[in-house]
Amino acid sequence: MSQRPKVMIVGARLGGLLLGLLLEKMDVEYDIYERYDSLKPYGAGMSLGANILPMFEQLGIYEDLLKISLPCSQMELYKEDMTPVSKVNISGENVGYDTQFFSRPDIHNLLLLKLPSERIHYGKKVLSIGQSEHGAIIRCADGTSYEGDILIGADGAYSAVRQGLYKRLEKDGKLPKGDSEPMEVGYTCLVGTTLPLGPEKYPVVKNNFSRFAIVIADKGLYSIVVISVPGNRVCWGVVIQLTPEEQEAALRNSEWAAKTIENGITPFAHHKTPFGCTLGNLVNETPKDYISNVYLEEKTFETWNNGRIALLGDACHKMLPSAGQGAINAMQDAVIIANCIYELGSSTSNEDIEAALQDYKEQRYAHAKGQVRNSSLSGQLFFSQTWFSRLVRWVALIFMPKEFDKASITKTAAYRPQATFLPLRERRGTMEIVPQKPSKRYEEEQRKKKTECDSPIPGTSPHAI
């Protein structure tokens, strides 16, 4: 077992791409298999903060991220008539990093440009998977199949890798009951990003910072989100709470909603936004092909790995976007998986790989489960329209002490895993950081290098200059 493990990553989403970049730095062989023939720039605004940015510094792409993003210090909340309700502090005051907002397609493109194009294979819809003591295999709809030592399912909420793995485990009587139950689907979301806007008509784009605002309907079952991002653009979204009947229909569908984009947006087009325009104005400035309509599911799966196979991101912990932690947690998964693969060294044995992937789950499970719960609570606060949620919302947003806002942000920012096979970035900010499991292999390699540097050159005096 002298060769390094070969890794197959299914899904060219943010978590899968970042894992590929980490393996590239580690000089481990990998390939990424994406089901679609090309990646369209779907998605709206998102953000990254202190709980992942140190790792971007490690990879040397932090400055690149700053070029496509704008800092944001607060979240603005409004009633339907544009009456301000509250401002939630999301600044990097004591955490060391500003929260950076950008359009999701921009960071996708950033990561794609950092990876060798030959490592990403498009049009590879996975139909089945398998594994043995000697390796893992995927079989695709185009008749091709691929083998490797490790298989990572980074292919989203309806992961083909997860479905294939769970089917086998259920047949063998090894799948927990909860993992076979459907995800909870409480909301649907329409999102898009405009083309560059004229500053005269849309003054919000003149700012050198990002404005992030949520408009919560007074009576309807929806909320409107608007975010200004670089390039004189605005990301927008409509989050709609589903009725029980609509939730039943959602469970019978896949990721994308059945109704057309036009029909979905029409009821909300006339609504005002804090940016001095209506939602319809922003929709009209957005290419129709770049608007997506997706259900918002949530669930923490118990089974993350088995043998040579592991799941990453939405495939094992699907969370609502309300706390802005879904993509970040997928990236944190990628960091820890990469660390565990690094510890394998040259071993490709079934026993060592299984132990490494189990270590990944043990390091990540509790934190990810907590973030699913926090995202659910944030969803109730900002998106839910039940009478109880409305009561909790206004009590919390109007009377909640500002110290509570700060405590919630700093708790999330305290967990910031880094790649243990790269020099760690020094702590920024004044807050305490959650300790990270160190790399025994890296420490040993550093000790060996130091010993070699301290050893005298053969045939010379140890005191020779």
Side-chain angles (χ1 to χ4, degrees), residues 40-315:
K40 288 188 177 182
Y42 284 132
M46 63 173 288
S47 65
L48 297 180
N51 52 355
I52 196 64
L53 292 180
M55 191 276 309
F56 273 68
E57 287 187 296
Q58 284 186 295
L59 291 175
I61 58 176
Y62 179 61
E63 295 300 323
D64 294 319
L65 177 70
L66 295 183
K67 292 175 184 177
I68 64 167
S69 63
L70 289 172
C72 183
S73 61
Q74 63 184 13
M75 175 174 60
E76 308 167 23
L77 298 168
Y78 296 84
K79 288 186 177 182
E80 196 174 319
D81 62 359
M82 293 300 102
T83 301
V85 175
S86 180
K87 293 181 179 180
V88 179
N89 178 19
I90 59 171
S91 69
E93 242 179 289
N94 66 329
V95 301
Y97 295 85
D98 289 325
T99 301
Q100 299 290 331
F101 276 77
F102 44 84
S103 174
R104 187 184 186 99
D106 289 349
I107 190 171
H108 210 155
N109 291 334
L110 171 62
L111 295 179
L112 278 172
L113 289 173
K114 299 297 180 181
L115 291 167
S117 58
E118 64 270 18
R119 289 297 186 188
I120 306 176
H121 311 278
Y122 296 98
K124 299 298 178 181
K125 181 180 180 180
V126 173
L127 294 183
S128 66
I129 65 169
Q131 64 173 321
S132 70
E133 291 186 5
H134 307 292
I137 186 171
I138 61 172
R139 301 177 184 87
C140 304
D142 62 359
T144 57
S145 61
Y146 303 91
E147 297 181 20
D149 299 296
I150 298 173
L151 171 58
I152 304 297
D155 48 342
Y158 294 89
S159 166
V161 175
R162 187 187 70 232
Q163 292 176 27
L165 175 62
Y166 282 15
K167 184 178 180 181
R168 169 55 61 183
L169 292 176
E170 189 168 35
K171 185 177 180 180
D172 295 340
K174 297 179 180 179
L175 187 70
K177 182 182 178 182
D179 284 347
S180 62
E181 297 172 352
M183 291 177 282
E184 293 185 27
V185 184
Y187 306 88
T188 186
C189 184
L190 293 140
V191 297
T193 300
T194 69
L195 294 173
L197 303 174
E200 297 76 21
K201 187 176 180 180
Y202 300 92
V204 69
V205 302
K206 297 179 182 178
N207 298 327
N208 61 356
F209 59 88
S210 177
R211 278 190 66 187
F212 171 30
I214 299 178
V215 180
I216 303 173
D218 298 328
K219 296 180 181 178
L221 299 177
Y222 63 92
S223 299
I224 295 172
V225 182
V226 285
I227 305 169
S228 59
V229 296
N232 288 9
R233 296 169 299 160
V234 171
C235 299
W236 56 267
V238 183
V239 180
I240 307 163
Q241 187 171 19
L242 300 176
T243 64
E245 294 75 23
E246 290 171 329
Q247 290 180 34
E248 285 292 327
L251 292 174
R252 295 192 295 270
N253 287 285
S254 185
E255 291 181 77
W256 305 105
K259 59 187 177 181
T260 64
I261 299 297
E262 290 78 13
N263 288 342
I265 292 176
T266 299
F268 314 103
H270 68 282
H271 282 287
K272 296 178 181 179
T273 74
F275 292 176
C277 61
T278 65
L279 178 66
N281 295 145
L282 298 176
V283 172
N284 291 336
E285 300 281 2
T286 306
K288 296 296 182 287
D289 290 345
Y290 294 168
I291 300 175
S292 56
N293 187 2
V294 62
Y295 287 118
L296 303 181
E297 311 90 345
E298 55 181 325
K299 182 172 181 175
T300 305
F301 292 90
E302 291 296 321
T303 306
W304 287 29
N305 63 289
N306 176 263
R308 296 173 176 270
I309 302 172
L311 306 174
L312 176 157
D314 288 353

Side-chain angles (χ1 to χ4, degrees), residues 339-357:
N339 290 346
C340 292
I341 291 175
Y342 173 76
E343 293 303 304
L344 283 170
S346 61
S347 175
T348 58
S349 75
N350 190 67
E351 183 180 12
D352 289 346
I353 288 175
E354 186 168 21
L357 297 181

